[in-house]
């Protein structure tokens, strides 16, 4: 019977540490993926059990015993543990730090792997009937009750924090008086449904033949691994392709992971998905507080959230029954983690899809060069969307020749004339300066000569 616990603990040098089982714990009840509290130097740490072994390079008499088992079951399944082990080897980073990146901060601190959900305070019928005379000697309660009365759907702690400071004590007195009730909402608020269908009643837009071909090819690959590059111009309807692929995945009882590069893109993406599907959507990004992140993580792990939307760290989110992985703007550098455990979320997602035998769909209007190379080498299958959907048209682009034109603060007369004409028509103008230094190049306005680097074909930037 193995009696050595190989545990990953966040540490800068070592990868794993060996411990003896906690006193009174049957080793047969332990399994990889459980968290344990262990002694670590002069302190204690929360580690993740990776393996059980019957021997150690360190003599048994020198091994310390783990202090306690924190989970009844594994918080990370075998498939995710294998992915984390691969990432540790591939990116040459200690497994303890890699595992730490895959866990919400509350789990890293040893908190229970459960979520109480969201507390919501509502005004009771007695509270609506109550007049100012009943709490006239308690102005804080009076102001708080007036605030709650104005919120028909109730208010969460986050919303109350935005309006009042130190509100919990007067709120408790209002609850004790029966003027306000507190209830525990589900971890993810349910989406209102009409009937039993999980797909919203609003009909999806009609696809053009390029979109139909893309959706059909991805749907045919469900249940097998295939990497797709959705190369579509801006406005070509890539998101609609994602939605219709996910619709098929949900009908099969599986989950979809959608990765976006920036937090700023998350709200509009979530709104688009919630308009289409009457299902809870788990959102994961660094803008959430610890409880919200744990809530979404647990809902994805249990399978209660069939759709998970997040930034690069969401690639390590556990899923009960994965069906497809979608990466929007696959070329974006935000998918690369730049400090600590450095990894590329797109590449990790491809490995995860391959291990899970599910398709991965990567969309972009400007695919990364390595993705185009993988298409040419046959590793990816390219799906093209060359046309804009509906009545949308490509904006006209003009290149201005500024040779022999007098420049006014770097702007040519022809450009200033166009800007003035547009402003006179009550339009808006955006001037984008995509450069560093004083000017992107040194240019002769008589002949068009530009200063070039003597070692390559790049233009020299002028700094002044």
């Amino acid at each position: 019977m193995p009696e050595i616990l190989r545990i990953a603990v966040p540490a800068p040098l070592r990868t794993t540490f060996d411990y003896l089982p906690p006193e009174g714990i049957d080793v047969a009840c332990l399994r990889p993926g459980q968290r344990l509290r262990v002694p670590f130097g002069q302190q204690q740490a929360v580690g993740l059990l990776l393996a059980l072994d019957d021997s150690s390079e360190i003599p048994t008499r020198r091994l310390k015993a783990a202090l306690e088992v924190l989970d009844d079951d594994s918080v990370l399944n075998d498939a995710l543990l294998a992915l984390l082990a691969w990432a540790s080897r591939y990116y040459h980073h200690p497994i303890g730090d890699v595992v730490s990146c895959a866990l919400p901060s509350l789990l890293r601190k040893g908190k229970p792997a459960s979520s109480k959900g969201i507390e919501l305070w509502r005004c009771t019928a007695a509270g609506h009937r109550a007049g100012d005379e009943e709490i006239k000697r308690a102005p804080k309660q009076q102001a708080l009750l007036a605030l709650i009365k104005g919120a028909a759907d109730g208010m969460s702690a986050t919303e109350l924090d935005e309006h009042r400071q130190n509100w919990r004590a007067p709120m408790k007195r209002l609850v004790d008086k029966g003027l306000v009730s507190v209830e525990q909402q589900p971890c993810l608020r349910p989406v209102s449904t009409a009937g039993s269908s999980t797909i919203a009643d609003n009909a999806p837009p009609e696809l053009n033949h390029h979109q139909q071909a893309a959706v059909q090819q991805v749907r045919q690959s469900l249940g097998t691994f295939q990497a797709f590059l959705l190369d579509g111009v801006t406005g070509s309807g890539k998101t609609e392709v994602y939605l219709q692929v996910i619709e098929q995945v949900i009908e099969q009882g599986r989950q979809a992971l959608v990765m976006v590069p920036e937090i700023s893109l998350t709200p509009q993406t979530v709104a688009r998905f919630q308009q289409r599907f009457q299902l809870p959507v788990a959102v994961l990004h660094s803008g959430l507080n610890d409880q919200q992140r744990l809530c979404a993580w647990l809902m994805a792990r249990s399978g209660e959230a069939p759709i998970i939307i997040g930034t690069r760290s969401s690639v390590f989110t556990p899923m009960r029954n994965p069906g497809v992985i979608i990466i929007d703007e696959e070329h974006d550098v935000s998918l690369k983690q730049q400090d600590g455990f450095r990894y590329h979320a797109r590449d990790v997602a491809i490995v995860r899809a391959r291990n899970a035998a599910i398709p991965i769909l990567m969309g972009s209007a400007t695919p990364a060069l390595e993705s185009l190379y993988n298409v040419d080498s046959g590793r990816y299958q390219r799906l093209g969307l060359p046309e804009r959907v509906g009545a949308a048209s490509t904006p006209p682009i003009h290149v201005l020749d500024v040779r022999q034109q007098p420049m006014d603060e770097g702007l040519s007369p022809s450009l200033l004339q166009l800007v003035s004409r547009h402003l006179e028509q009550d339009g808006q103008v955006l001037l984008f300066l995509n450069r560093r230094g004083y000017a992107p190049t040194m240019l002769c306005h008589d002949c068009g000569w530009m200063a070039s680097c003597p070692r390559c074909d790049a233009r020299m930037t002028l700094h002044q």
Side-chain angles (χ1 to χ4, degrees):
M1 175 69 67
E3 293 188 357
I4 304 298
L5 310 183
R6 193 140 298 136
I7 297 177
V9 180
L13 299 177
R14 294 278 297 278
T15 54
T16 58
F17 298 83
D18 291 346
Y19 288 89
L20 297 174
E23 293 186 11
I25 296 295
D26 185 1
V27 180
C29 298
L30 298 177
R31 56 188 60 85
Q34 288 177 298
R35 294 175 301 144
L36 293 93
R37 194 180 304 279
V38 296
F40 196 71
Q42 300 298 319
Q43 301 176 340
Q44 295 180 3
V46 174
L48 192 82
L49 180 61
L50 295 182
L52 297 160
D53 207 341
D54 52 10
S55 63
S56 173
E57 295 180 358
I58 302 173
T60 305
R61 67 179 184 278
R62 294 181 55 192
L63 294 179
K64 296 180 180 180
L67 301 176
E68 62 174 323
V69 181
L70 298 176
D71 304 305
D72 295 331
D73 201 356
S74 303
V75 294
L76 299 179
N77 58 31
D78 292 342
L80 201 50
L81 288 175
L83 179 70
L84 296 171
W86 171 87
S88 174
R89 295 190 305 270
Y90 185 79
Y91 293 106
H92 301 280
H93 200 84
I95 185 64
D97 281 350
V98 175
V99 168
S100 180
C101 290
L103 294 174
S105 61
L106 291 179
L107 296 188
R108 296 198 297 267
K109 296 174 183 176
K111 301 297 183 182
S114 60
S115 180
K116 298 184 300 182
I118 302 169
E119 283 186 320
L120 209 62
W121 285 265
R122 296 178 186 272
C123 186
T124 63
H128 282 292
R129 291 193 302 268
D132 293 342
E133 292 295 323
E134 297 183 36
I135 49 177
K136 64 180 180 179
R137 295 184 180 180
K140 291 184 178 179
Q141 295 179 41
Q142 196 176 54
L144 198 56
L145 182 60
L147 180 64
I148 294 292
K149 282 182 178 180
D153 296 329
M155 298 186 73
S156 66
T158 303
E159 293 167 335
L160 287 165
D161 286 335
E162 295 175 357
H163 293 86
R164 291 284 185 275
Q165 292 182 346
N166 304 320
W167 56 269
R168 288 191 179 272
M171 181 67 80
K172 184 178 184 304
R173 294 186 182 95
L174 290 173
V175 172
D176 293 341
K177 294 176 181 178
L179 304 179
V180 172
S181 65
V182 57
E183 57 189 54
Q184 207 80 31
Q185 291 290 316
C187 187
L188 289 181
R189 292 193 184 188
V191 180
S192 60
T193 58
S196 59
S197 175
T198 58
I199 307 301
D201 292 333
N202 52 321
E206 186 177 347
L207 302 180
N208 61 36
H209 67 281
H210 295 293
Q211 290 174 304
Q212 289 175 351
V215 170
Q216 186 66 24
Q217 290 192 58
V218 179
R219 282 182 169 181
Q220 288 176 352
S221 70
L222 294 178
T224 61
F225 169 68
Q226 176 63 55
F228 294 97
L229 177 65
L230 185 62
D231 183 1
V233 299
T234 303
S236 59
K238 293 187 290 293
T239 303
E240 187 58 38
V241 173
Y242 304 156
L243 290 168
Q244 299 214 14
V245 168
I246 291 174
E247 183 177 333
Q248 182 73 25
V249 169
I250 292 174
E251 288 177 356
Q252 295 179 358
R254 312 187 97 182
Q255 293 171 283
L257 171 61
V258 182
M259 294 171 58
V260 294
E262 296 283 356
I263 294 177
S264 59
L265 298 177
T266 307
Q268 65 190 52
T269 306
V270 173
R272 179 83 178 270
F273 277 68
Q274 287 181 334
Q275 287 175 1
R276 178 65 63 86
F277 304 106
Q278 296 179 346
L279 293 166
V281 177
V283 182
L284 289 156
H285 56 72
S286 58
L288 304 175
N289 61 40
D290 291 346
Q291 191 61 45
Q292 290 171 327
R293 190 172 183 86
L294 177 60
C295 164
W297 192 89
L298 291 172
M299 294 302 100
R301 173 174 166 263
S302 65
E304 294 177 58
I307 302 173
I308 301 100
I309 300 177
T311 49
R312 61 175 174 264
S313 61
S314 64
V315 70
F316 299 115
T317 303
M319 292 188 286
R320 186 178 185 87
N321 193 7
V324 69
I325 297 176
I326 294 173
I327 304 179
D328 195 26
E329 307 296 344
E330 62 86 26
H331 65 278
D332 201 294
V333 295
S334 298
L335 293 171
K336 291 185 179 182
Q337 176 68 31
Q338 302 290 353
D339 53 14
F341 169 39
R342 294 176 172 85
Y343 64 92
H344 198 314
R346 180 195 62 204
D347 298 343
V348 175
I350 292 172
V351 174
R352 183 174 187 180
R354 183 192 64 194
N355 294 347
I358 60 175
I360 179 169
L361 178 59
M362 298 167 283
S364 175
T366 54
L369 290 177
E370 58 267 31
S371 298
L372 295 175
Y373 174 78
N374 283 324
V375 169
D376 290 340
S377 59
R379 295 187 182 94
Y380 298 176
Q381 184 175 343
R382 181 181 177 276
L383 306 174
L385 299 179
E387 301 173 356
R388 291 194 167 198
V389 296
S393 59
T394 304
I397 298 175
H398 304 284
V399 179
L400 297 180
D401 186 353
V402 296
R403 289 179 294 180
Q404 299 183 358
Q405 291 195 38
M407 306 296 285
D408 182 5
E409 299 292 340
L411 303 177
S412 67
S414 54
L415 176 60
L416 291 171
Q417 189 177 25
L418 288 171
V419 169
S420 299
R421 186 188 310 163
H422 197 62
L423 293 176
E424 289 172 358
Q425 298 172 356
D426 295 329
Q428 290 177 293
V429 175
L430 171 64
L431 295 178
F432 179 57
L433 303 178
N434 183 22
R435 73 183 187 203
R436 58 178 173 82
Y438 178 77
T441 188
M442 182 181 289
L443 167 69
C444 175
H445 284 269
D446 291 330
C447 66
W449 172 88
M450 287 182 284
S452 300
C453 175
R455 298 179 184 86
C456 67
D457 58 355
R459 307 297 184 192
M460 300 289 281
T461 300
L462 176 62
H463 291 264
Q464 178 173 302

